[in-house]
Amino acid sequence: MNIQERLLEIWNEKYINELPEIIKERGFNYSINNEQKDILITGINPSFRKGDENGNVCFDFKIIAKETKYDTYWTK
């Protein structure tokens, strides 16, 4: 499954218009996943910070988990 493609399909559904404009402007954020998993968790981006750019973003959780320079939301 192409995660970005599927999220774009969901993000373009009519019910997305019910979200507050500030949330729609931010877009979605998802983790790159190259290994099959049993569940995909999505939600509002809790790590969005003032000054961050709006738009759809992906990240590699394996890199974030190993690097201390990334957002403290995902690190020890």
Side-chain angles (χ1 to χ4, degrees), residues 14-52:
K14 290 182 182 180
Y15 57 80
I16 294 298
N17 291 327
E18 301 296 320
L19 293 173
E21 194 62 34
I22 192 169
I23 300 297
K24 291 189 295 186
E25 289 173 355
R26 287 182 186 176
F28 56 81
N29 190 339
Y30 67 97
S31 176
I32 296 169
N33 181 14
N34 296 320
E35 299 173 22
Q36 179 65 38
K37 302 294 179 190
D38 295 331
I39 189 168
L40 171 63
I41 299 171
T42 61
I44 296 171
N45 181 359
S47 61
F48 191 87
R49 302 290 189 263
K50 186 175 182 177
D52 283 352

Side-chain angles (χ1 to χ4, degrees), residues 43-64:
I44 296 171
N45 181 359
S47 61
F48 191 87
R49 302 290 189 263
K50 186 175 182 177
D52 283 352
E53 292 186 28
N54 290 333
N56 304 329
V57 179
C58 66
F59 62 92
D60 188 330
F61 184 76
K62 290 181 180 182
I63 291 173
I64 290 175

Side-chain angles (χ1 to χ4, degrees), residues 5-17:
E5 185 177 296
R6 181 63 183 123
L7 288 172
L8 283 169
E9 288 174 16
I10 293 168
W11 203 249
N12 287 307
E13 292 289 338
K14 290 182 182 180
Y15 57 80
I16 294 298
N17 291 327

